[in-house]
Every structure is written in structure tokens, then in C-alpha cells.
Amino acid sequence: MTDTADNFSEDVIFMRMALREAEAAAAEGEVPCGAVIVLEGKVIGKAHNQTQTLNDPTAHAEVLAITQATQEVGNWRLNGATMYVTKEPCPMCAGALVLSRMKKVVWGMTDPIRGGAISKFNILNEADLNHAVEIETGLMEPDCKFVMQEFFQKIRKASKERKRDNRD
């Protein structure tokens, strides 16, 4: 994709879809991360974190969306596909992006503590791996941060309330 106004609008549309997935995760009590995979302008996979729901540590939005997308195209290689994700992928998800041959990943907020794409680790462009993934960061970053911050604020507030109730 080039940086034309039309493509930017498509990028925003797909990131909004990823944000809706993140909001669905939050509503289920999951860390609010959402992912959408697009190939030739068509959504071929979308998911949100479901680690608690599925009792599966690998059930991250990115991995679930990759599984959907590979089933949709009938191939484990997602050549030419772009993933839109609300948060920088962790090391596991970054590895899955490389292995699936994803063309590009676009994310909203970086994760300086656990980021596997560029912040903590540079898996998407590791010279010793057999594929590199194009990166675009910061798309709708304030919106992505808001969903994440709101989720953890609610968790902290509920925890404080439980502690207070236990003291009474």
C-alpha cells in the first residue's frame, strides 16, 4: 500500500475493526487486543484475545486471526496480507507473523516492556530469519491506548474495591 489518502482511509477502517475486536475482548474480561488481516482489500481474518476464555496461552488476537486467515485462503502462507493490530505484537505473535509470511503489520500502540516487533525484540526484521515483515506504527495510537488504559483502570479499581470490602 502507498500512503495515498484512499489507502490511509482504508487503514483507518481496518484499524477501527481491530479496535472493535479489542473492545469485545475487554467486554469478555480479556486484555483488549484486536487484530484484523486483510488481503487484496478483503478481511480474511479477525479476532481478539481469548486466553482466559479458551484457557490457552497462545490464544492471542494475532494468532487466532492468522489461523482464520490461513483457513480462508487455504494456505499457511499469507503472502501479500496486512495485519492491523491495536498493540505491538509480543514475541510469540511476532514469530507467528514471520512464519506466516505476512507482508506488513500495522499497529496502534507500542509495548516497550513486552513488544516483540521493535520495542523489546526485533523479531519482524531479524536478519537470521527467513522472512521480514514491513512495519507501520502509531496508527490511531490514542484510541488504542485509551482502550487498554481504560481496561486496566477498571481492573485496578475493582481490585481496590475488593480489598476495601474484605477489610469491612
Side-chain angles (χ1 to χ4, degrees):
M1 285 188 172
T2 59
D3 291 328
T4 66
D6 288 339
N7 285 335
F8 179 76
S9 296
E10 278 190 1
D11 287 348
V12 170
I13 289 167
F14 295 132
M15 185 59 82
R16 283 185 179 146
M17 292 175 76
L19 274 164
R20 284 194 294 276
E21 288 292 325
E23 290 165 352
E28 295 171 10
E30 299 277 359
V31 173
C33 183
V36 172
I37 300 175
V38 178
L39 180 63
E40 298 173 354
K42 178 185 174 202
V43 174
I44 58 171
K46 65 179 182 173
H48 56 271
N49 279 358
Q50 294 188 41
T51 56
Q52 303 291 327
T53 303
L54 298 176
N55 198 27
D56 180 354
T58 68
H60 290 200
E62 299 95 326
V63 172
L64 296 173
I66 287 170
T67 299
Q68 279 185 14
T70 58
Q71 296 304 304
E72 177 69 21
V73 300
N75 193 327
W76 62 269
R77 291 180 189 91
L78 296 174
N79 296 321
T82 298
M83 175 181 283
Y84 297 85
V85 62
T86 55
K87 183 185 79 58
E88 178 182 357
C90 73
M92 174 186 71
C93 294
L97 287 160
V98 170
L99 292 172
S100 70
R101 309 300 195 269
M102 190 74 56
K103 178 183 178 187
K104 182 177 180 179
V105 63
V106 179
W107 69 78
M109 61 176 283
T110 57
D111 184 351
I113 298 171
R114 293 174 199 86
I118 60 171
S119 294
K120 186 75 172 175
F121 302 98
N122 189 18
I123 294 169
L124 297 181
N125 288 291
E126 170 57 48
D128 290 335
L129 296 176
N130 63 344
H131 180 73
V133 180
E134 295 174 28
I135 297 168
E136 182 181 324
T137 67
L139 180 63
M140 299 180 65
E141 182 176 14
D143 301 275
C144 296
K145 280 185 176 180
F146 176 79
V147 171
M148 191 68 69
Q149 289 169 342
E150 181 181 50
F151 174 78
F152 283 107
Q153 285 171 355
K154 286 180 181 177
I155 295 231
R156 285 189 292 276
K157 182 179 178 186
S159 177
K160 286 179 185 177
E161 289 173 1
R162 279 193 304 276
K163 287 178 184 177
R164 186 180 62 234
D165 290 345
N166 287 338
R167 287 186 289 221
D168 293 342

